[in-house]
Structures are given as structure tokens and as C-alpha cells.
């Protein structure tokens, strides 16, 4: 009980610290940070935006919109300044060159989002590299010019770097390997050229370099650039999403470092390049794969039965290649169903769900067109439910050189949403087992050499919305029940021995003339209701007028006076002088 009396100085120190924490920032954020924010608004923001940002002594910038301060230190640590750019009436940029020095006053700034702004002649300079405390930097859609600043490799605290949808050129520097904390790297939709750097190879770092090689990347998006040459990289166990779609890569696919026990790769997109040869055996060892997109290349040879080892696949797209041979019957071993891969692969421990959704969601797209399903990157076909990220399951082997019959085992894929086997050389009949595809929404078997009849039990596939068997050798009568009644000639044409009834044809509406269209647009009122309402209003007004004239003699006489004057003015002498004299008395 005597402890406070023995050490009063210690009590004083503790009380001082508490008072500073409680009252230290009563007057708001730091003046230099507030000044920088106001300068940014004046130079780069539209006048109608950021109304809470006012230059007033009592205005606390920590309470401003798009600004988040640390509750203990009072410093700004998060700035969400996206979509603020100035434009003229023609959409041209009016904002001046970005002054990076405005952000140097924020000593604890860790998250900076400047996406989708309009900065004239926006180029990298070393000012941004002085912000070593940054952990997340978003510069998407800013028309960034120039090359990738090598000094960014010194930003060792950076966890997320998004430079996508800009006009950056040159090669991707290997200095990225020094960004040891980096988890998300998005350089898609730029003009980067040269080879794909193997940024995971620690052997290329000199012994005198004290930095640790990058090893914890989860998401890499280098899609839609001008990268060329052969692909020969080492994939770290931490990588979850890897996209090189839409580049100019050639040669055989050479990616290694896969271990079925430690690898967490969920999505691999190498589509729309110029790869040749066969699918490397190393891919078949990635048991964690959920999305495998290799479409739009020059892959050859037959499909290996090793493909069936990827039992977690949800989307498999091998379309637009030169793959030969038959379809492996063991494909029914693949799940082709929704997988909660964010949870099952545990990346939420180092990449938040919000971050993952921001970059994973735009990674793949399913596009329905002309009865065909094409898989492309950089769309947004995902839906979100709780903490899981889901998309449609699909198998696309279209536009290849496949031969033989369609395996009846494919009918076991009851969770499959989309099946596209069009533009091949498949023969035989449509398997009866396809009636087990209870989840199927799109089934395209067009442009093959299939024969026989269309199985009548396909009418039980109530989820089926797209069905195309055109340009085959099918015969018999097409089903006409349920959803098949909505399919028209385009679904069956090119089958000379196949017949379909009128119920299989959509009857287009008769064309309307502009006059008829105008009349139709004008008749938006219910005429019956209009007549009843008009009649009721007319009777009500008439009764009110009679009542008023009956009660008030003066108004009654004035009413008749004006009526007579009106009749005389309109009809004149035709009423007769006798009538006029009699009324005026």
C-alpha cells in the first residue's frame, strides 16, 4: 500500500504517458499530413469529390473520407485515393504530373491506393522508392509510362504491388527478387517485353547481397504483355495463382519445382501464347490445381491419362490446340465441382480474403457466345458466398484434332456445368449416360462426325440452356420436350438425316412498323380504368356546380348571365330578337 508513496516519480511518469495517449491528439491529425492532403485535393481531385476535406482548424483529417489513422499514434496509415482524376468534357486528363513528395510527410503510411486516376505524364521517379514503409501500393489504370523502376526492389516491406492496366515497357527487372515480403504482384496489361525472369532463383543473388530472395509470393499476374522467348522458371511452394495469358511465349513449357506434398498452386493460366510440344509431366504432379488453362497454343500429341490425376480440377481448358488421339475415359475421376480453395489451401493466413478476391476474381472468365464456351482471363464471372470463392465447373477440349468416340464415362460428371467438345473429329453416337449430367448448362458437340440419334432422355436435363449438335451426321427426330422446345434450327443444322418439328423452332415476333410501334408506345394507359375515372370525375364536378348555384342566388344569376352572353356571341341573331328581349328582362 506504500508503494506509490515510495516512488512518486514513477506514478507521475505513468500518469503523463496515459494523459498523452488520451489527450495527445485531441486537435486531430498532424499538421504536415493535413497540409499534404489538402494540396493533393487541390491539384488532383474533382471539385465535387472529397467534401469533408476542408481547411479549417477544427477539421480533423483522421475523420475525413478515404483517410484512416492509427488510433494510438494518430498518423495516417491508409489512403484510398482511387477514381479522383480530373477530366474535361471530352474525357481528356486535366490533372498535373503527380508529385510523389506529397506522400513523404506520411511517416506511417502503409497502404496507398491511387488506382484509376488521371495523372498527366505519370512516370516513376525515385520519390516513390523513398516510401520504404509501404506495404500495399495500387497504381492500376493510371497510364503509367516508362520502365519499371529498379529502386522498387528496395521496398522490402511491400506485400502488394499492382501496376496493371498501364503502359509500362521494357523488361521486368530481376530486382523484384529482393522484395522479400511481396505476396501479390500484378503487372498485367502493360507492354513489358523480354523473357520471363526467374525471380525465385536464389542462386542468382550474389553472396555479398544480404537480402533474402523472394519466396512467399502467392499471386503473380503477368498476362497481356509482350513477353517472349521460352518459359523456364522455378515455381515456389507458396505460389497459388500464376498467369501468363496473352503473351508471345514459345517453345515447350518448362516449369519445375512442383512437389505434390508441398505445392499449393491453384490456378495456372498459360493460354493464348505459342507454346508447342506436349503438356509437361510436371503439371500432372500439381494435385492442388483447380484451374488449368492452356488454350490457344500449339500443343500437340495425345492427351495423357496422367491428366486424370488432377482430381481437384474445376476448370480444364485445352481448346484451340493441335491435340490428337482420343479423350481419356478416366476423366470421370476429376471432381469438376466447386472447391473452396481459399480455405482449403490456407492462404488466408498471409493474404486476406479481400486481397485475394480483388485479384483472383478478375483472373478467369467464362464467355458464352454462339453456343460455344470460351475461357479467357481477366474477366469477372465469379460469385462470392461467405468465405469461399466459386465459379462454374467446365471442361473444354474444343478446336483440336481429337478422334474416336466420346467416352460414356463422361456422363459420370454430374457436377459439370459446361462441356465443349466441338470442332474435333469425334465419331460414334452421343452417349446415353449424358442424361446423368444433372448440373449441365452448356453442351456443345457441334462440328464433329457423330451419328445415331439424340438420346431422348436428355430432355430430363432441366438445367440445360445451351445445346448445339450442328454439323454432324445425326439422324432420327430431335427431342422436343421441356427445354428442347426452345432450341431452333441453328442447334441442329448440318445434319441431313436429322428431323425436328415446329416445336423445335423459335417463332420470331412479326416486325412492327414505326407507326405501329408509336401506337403501341402511346397506349400505356388502361382504357377501362381511364373511362371509369373520367366519368366519376365528371359527375362529381357537375354535382358540385349545381349545388353551388342552388345555394347562392348571386352566383346563379351571374352564371346564367355569362351563359347567355356566350350564346349570343357565338350564335348572334340566329337566336331571335324575341328570345333576347325575354331573357334580358
Amino acid at each position: 500500500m506504500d508503494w506509490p508513496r515510495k516512488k512518486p516519480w514513477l506514478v507521475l511518469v505513468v500518469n503523463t504517458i496515459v494523459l498523452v495517449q488520451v489527450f495527445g491528439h485531441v486537435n486531430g491529425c498532424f499538421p504536415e499530413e493535413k497540409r499534404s492532403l489538402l494540396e493533393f485535393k487541390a491539384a488532383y481531385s474533382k471539385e465535387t469529390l472529397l467534401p469533408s476535406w476542408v481547411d479549417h482548424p477544427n477539421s480533423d483529417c483522421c475523420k475525413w473520407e478515404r483517410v484512416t489513422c492509427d488510433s494510438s499514434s494518430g498518423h495516417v496509415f491508409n489512403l484510398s485515393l482511387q477514381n479522383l482524376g480530373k477530366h474535361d468534357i471530352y474525357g481528356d486528363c486535366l490533372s498535373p504530373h503527380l508529385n510523389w513528395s506529397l506522400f513523404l510527410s506520411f511517416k506511417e503510411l502503409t497502404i496507398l491506393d491511387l488506382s484509376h486516376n488521371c495523372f498527366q505524364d505519370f512516370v516513376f521517379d525515385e520519390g516513390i522508392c523513398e516510401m520504404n514503409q509501404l506495404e500495399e501500393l495500387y497504381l492500376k489504370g493510371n497510364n503509367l509510362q516508362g520502365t519499371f523502376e529498379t529502386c522498387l526492389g528496395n521496398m522490402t516491406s511491400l506485400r502488394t504491388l499492382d501496376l496493371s492496366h498501364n503502359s509500362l515497357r521494357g523488361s521486368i527487372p530481376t530486382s523484384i527478387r529482393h522484395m522479400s515480403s511481396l505476396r501479390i504482384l500484378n503487372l498485367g496489361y502493360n507492354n513489358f517485353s523480354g523473357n520471363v525472369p526467374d525471380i525465385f532463383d536464389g542462386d542468382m543473388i550474389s553472396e555479398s547481397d544480404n537480402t533474402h530472395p523472394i519466396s512467399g509470393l502467392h499471386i503473380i499476374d503477368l498476362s497481356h504483355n509482350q513477353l517472349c522467348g521460352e518459359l523456364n522458371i522455378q515455381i515456389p511452394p507458396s505460389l497459388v495463382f500464376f498467369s501468363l495469358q496473352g503473351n508471345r511465349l514459345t517453345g515447350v513449357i518448362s516449369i519445375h519445382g512442383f512437389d505434390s506434398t508441398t505445392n499449393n498452386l491453384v490456378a495456372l493460366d498459360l493460354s493464348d501464347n505459342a507454346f508447342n510440344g506436349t503438356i509437361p509431366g510436371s503439371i500432372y504432379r500439381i494435385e492442388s490445381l483447380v484451374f488449368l488453362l492452356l488454350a490457344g497454343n500449339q500443343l500437340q500429341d495425345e492427351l495423357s491419362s496422367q491428366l486424370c490425376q488432377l482430381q481437384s480440377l474445376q476448370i480444364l481448358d485445352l481448346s484451340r490446340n493441335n491435340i490428337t488421339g482420343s479423350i481419356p475415359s478416366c476423366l470421370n475421376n476429376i471432381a469438376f465441382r466447386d472447391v473452396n480453395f481459399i480455405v482449403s489451401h490456407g492462404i488466408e493466413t498471409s493474404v486476406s480474403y479481400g486481397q485475394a478476391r480483388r485479384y483472383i476474381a478478375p483472373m478467369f472468365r467464362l464467355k458464352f457466345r454462339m453456343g460455344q464456351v470460351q475461357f479467357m482471363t481477366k474477366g469477372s464471372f465469379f460469385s462470392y458466398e461467405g468465405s469461399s470463392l466459386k465459379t462454374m465447373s467446365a471442361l473444354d477440349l474444343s478446336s483440336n484434332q481429337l478422334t474416336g468416340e466420346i467416352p460414356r464415362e463422361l456422363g459420370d460428371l454430374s457436377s459439370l456445368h459446361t462441356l465443349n467438345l466441338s470442332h474435333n473429329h469425334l465419331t460414334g453416337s452421343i452417349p446415353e449416360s449424358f442424361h446423368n449430367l444433372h448440373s449441365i448448362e452448356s453442351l456443345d458437340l457441334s462440328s464433329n462426325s457423330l451419328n445415331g440419334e439424340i438420346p431422348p432422355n436428355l430432355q430430363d436435363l432441366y438445367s440445360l440452356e445451351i445445346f448445339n449438335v450442328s454439323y454432324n451426321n445425326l439422324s432420327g427426330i430431335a427431342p422436343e420436350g421441356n427445354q428442347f422446345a426452345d432450341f431452333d434450327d441453328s442447334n441442329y443444322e448440318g445434319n441431313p438425316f436429322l428431323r425436328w418439328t415446329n416445336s423445335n423452332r423459335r417463332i420470331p415476333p412479326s416486325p412492327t412498323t414505326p407507326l405501329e410501334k408509336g401506337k403501341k408506345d402511346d397506349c400505356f394507359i388502361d382504357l377501362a380504368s381511364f373511362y371509369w375515372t373520367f366519368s366519376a370525375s365528371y359527375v362529381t364536378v357537375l354535382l358540385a356546380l349545381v349545388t353551388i348555384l342552388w345555394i347562392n342566388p348571386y352566383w346563379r344569376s351571374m352564371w346564367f348571365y355569362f351563359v347567355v352572353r356566350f350564346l349570343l356571341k357565338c350564335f348572334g341573331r340566329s337566336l331571335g330578337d324575341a328570345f333576347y328581349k325575354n331573357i334580358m328582362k
Side-chain angles (χ1 to χ4, degrees):
M1 297 296 295
D2 296 334
W3 179 79
R5 297 179 180 178
K6 294 180 179 180
K7 296 183 178 180
W9 59 271
L10 184 58
V11 177
L12 180 61
V13 171
V14 172
N15 290 336
T16 303
I17 294 175
V18 171
L19 290 174
V20 169
Q21 292 294 330
V22 175
F23 301 105
H25 301 292
V26 171
N27 293 328
C29 61
F30 290 86
E32 62 273 15
E33 296 182 344
K34 181 177 182 179
R35 190 183 314 112
S36 296
L37 291 174
L38 291 173
E39 290 180 11
F40 179 89
K41 176 185 177 180
Y44 306 108
S45 176
K46 300 175 184 177
E47 296 180 358
T48 56
L49 299 178
L50 307 178
S52 61
W53 292 29
V54 293
D55 188 7
H56 191 277
N58 295 329
S59 180
D60 182 4
C61 71
C62 288
K63 298 180 180 179
W64 291 354
E65 56 188 305
R66 303 187 183 221
V67 179
T68 308
C69 296
D70 186 89
S71 58
S72 58
S73 67
H75 282 286
V76 176
F77 77 90
N78 186 349
L79 289 177
S80 300
L81 305 178
Q82 67 274 17
N83 297 300
L84 295 176
K86 295 181 179 180
H87 299 82
D88 58 18
I89 59 175
Y90 302 104
D92 296 328
C93 178
L94 295 178
S95 300
H97 174 75
L98 181 62
N99 182 11
W100 286 105
S101 62
L102 289 176
F103 301 104
L104 297 181
S105 60
F106 301 95
K107 304 302 180 182
E108 297 184 9
L109 184 63
T110 57
I111 303 175
L112 178 60
D113 190 347
L114 295 172
S115 300
H116 300 292
N117 279 292
C118 181
F119 304 119
Q120 290 185 4
D121 302 322
F122 189 4
V123 297
F124 274 126
D125 58 43
E126 295 185 358
I128 187 176
C129 299
E130 297 179 20
M131 305 168 66
N132 294 326
Q133 79 281 3
L134 274 182
E135 295 181 3
E136 298 180 23
L137 178 59
Y138 306 97
L139 297 174
K140 177 181 180 180
N142 275 306
N143 195 29
L144 275 169
Q145 307 290 328
T147 59
F148 192 105
E149 279 293 326
T150 57
C151 67
L152 288 175
N154 299 329
M155 304 177 69
T156 55
S157 299
L158 204 61
R159 297 172 59 86
T160 299
L161 178 60
D162 185 355
L163 303 177
S164 62
H165 293 267
N166 285 293
S167 300
L168 294 172
R169 61 182 186 276
S171 59
I172 300 176
T174 56
S175 60
I176 296 178
R177 72 176 70 251
H178 301 304
M179 306 172 72
S180 55
S181 300
L182 197 61
R183 297 294 178 265
I184 297 176
L185 176 64
N186 190 354
L187 304 180
Y189 283 88
N190 278 284
N191 294 315
F192 288 115
S193 57
N195 297 326
V196 178
D198 193 353
I199 59 179
F200 308 108
D201 189 1
D203 297 336
M204 296 183 64
I205 299 179
S206 62
E207 296 180 358
S208 60
D209 197 336
N210 295 325
T211 60
H212 298 284
I214 189 171
S215 59
L217 264 174
H218 294 305
I219 298 175
I220 300 179
D221 189 348
L222 305 179
S223 62
H224 294 280
N225 280 284
Q226 306 297 323
L227 300 175
C228 58
E230 297 186 356
L231 180 64
N232 185 8
I233 60 173
Q234 177 94 10
I235 298 294
S238 64
L239 196 62
V240 178
F241 289 84
F242 187 38
S243 177
L244 283 170
Q245 194 262 348
N247 281 282
R248 300 179 179 179
L249 300 172
T250 58
V252 297
I253 299 174
S254 179
I255 47 180
H256 41 90
F258 297 121
D259 187 335
S260 59
T261 59
T262 61
N263 196 271
N264 290 312
L265 192 65
V266 167
L268 178 62
D269 185 359
L270 305 178
S271 57
D272 295 313
N273 282 281
F275 290 118
N276 54 41
T278 61
I279 301 175
S282 58
I283 290 182
Y284 301 135
R285 295 195 294 271
I286 315 175
E287 297 180 359
S288 58
L289 263 185
V290 177
F291 304 103
L292 178 57
L293 306 184
L294 302 177
N297 285 288
Q298 301 172 17
L299 299 177
Q300 305 163 359
D301 212 346
E302 299 182 1
L303 284 178
S304 172
S305 59
Q306 291 180 285
L307 185 64
C308 305
Q309 299 175 12
L310 304 177
Q311 298 184 9
S312 298
L313 279 180
Q314 183 175 328
I315 292 182
L316 174 61
D317 184 7
L318 303 178
S319 63
R320 294 177 289 126
N321 281 286
N322 295 314
I323 299 174
T324 59
S326 58
I327 301 174
S329 59
C330 61
L331 288 179
N332 62 338
N333 295 330
I334 300 177
F336 286 113
R337 58 174 175 263
D338 295 337
V339 179
N340 300 340
F341 52 83
I342 287 183
V343 176
S344 62
H345 293 85
I347 67 170
E348 76 280 6
T349 58
S350 53
V351 177
S352 68
Y353 175 67
Q355 290 175 313
R357 185 174 72 172
R358 180 171 186 168
Y359 290 101
I360 297 169
M363 200 166 186
F364 303 103
R365 172 175 65 187
L366 301 182
K367 183 176 181 181
F368 293 87
R369 183 179 63 184
M370 299 297 291
Q372 298 182 1
V373 180
Q374 298 179 351
F375 301 93
M376 302 180 184
T377 59
K378 289 297 170 188
S380 55
F381 194 80
F382 287 82
S383 61
Y384 308 101
E385 298 179 6
S387 60
S388 63
L389 184 60
K390 299 182 179 182
T391 185
M392 291 184 64
S393 56
L395 172 61
D396 192 344
L397 303 177
S398 63
S399 301
N400 279 287
Q401 306 296 324
L402 296 173
T403 57
E405 298 185 356
I406 300 175
R408 60 178 180 83
E409 288 80 2
L410 292 185
D412 297 334
L413 301 175
S414 57
S415 299
L416 192 66
H417 292 105
T418 300
L419 177 60
N420 192 347
L421 303 178
S422 63
H423 294 87
N424 280 286
H425 305 289
L426 300 173
T427 57
S429 60
I430 300 175
E432 293 277 349
S433 61
F434 273 17
H435 78 279
N436 294 321
L437 299 175
H438 303 300
S439 301
I440 199 72
E441 298 179 11
S442 175
L443 178 59
D444 191 347
L445 306 176
S446 62
S447 300
N448 280 286
S449 299
L450 300 176
N451 53 44
E453 298 184 355
I454 300 175
N457 53 15
L458 295 186
Q459 297 176 116
D460 299 331
L461 301 177
Y462 297 103
S463 300
L464 190 62
E465 297 180 3
I466 298 176
F467 180 72
N468 194 346
V469 292
S470 60
Y471 298 101
N472 280 283
N473 294 317
L474 298 173
S475 57
I477 301 177
E480 58 183 37
N482 299 326
Q483 72 283 1
F484 277 81
D486 295 328
F487 301 144
D488 57 16
D489 295 358
S490 63
N491 302 99
Y492 304 109
E493 62 184 355
N495 292 279
F497 303 105
L498 181 66
R499 293 175 294 166
W500 54 92
T501 61
N502 290 334
S503 62
N504 293 110
R505 299 181 181 180
R506 295 188 183 95
I507 302 176
S510 57
T512 57
T513 63
L515 180 59
E516 292 174 342
K517 183 177 180 181
K519 291 181 179 179
K520 184 178 180 180
D521 293 339
D522 292 338
C523 297
F524 61 92
I525 300 176
D526 186 350
L527 294 180
S529 300
F530 172 77
Y531 292 145
W532 278 107
T533 304
F534 179 82
S535 300
S537 301
Y538 179 80
V539 172
T540 301
V541 172
L542 183 61
L543 290 176
L545 179 61
V546 171
T547 303
I548 292 173
L549 296 179
W550 178 267
I551 295 174
N552 195 317
Y554 175 76
W555 288 0
R556 183 168 61 249
S557 61
M558 292 300 296
W559 168 262
F560 286 113
Y561 174 77
F562 284 112
V563 169
V564 171
R565 293 298 299 271
F566 174 78
L567 293 174
L568 290 175
K569 185 174 181 179
C570 292
F571 300 101
R573 298 182 181 276
S574 60
L575 295 176
D577 294 337
F579 178 78
Y580 172 78
K581 293 179 180 179
N582 191 29
I583 292 297
M584 293 304 293
K585 291 180 179 180

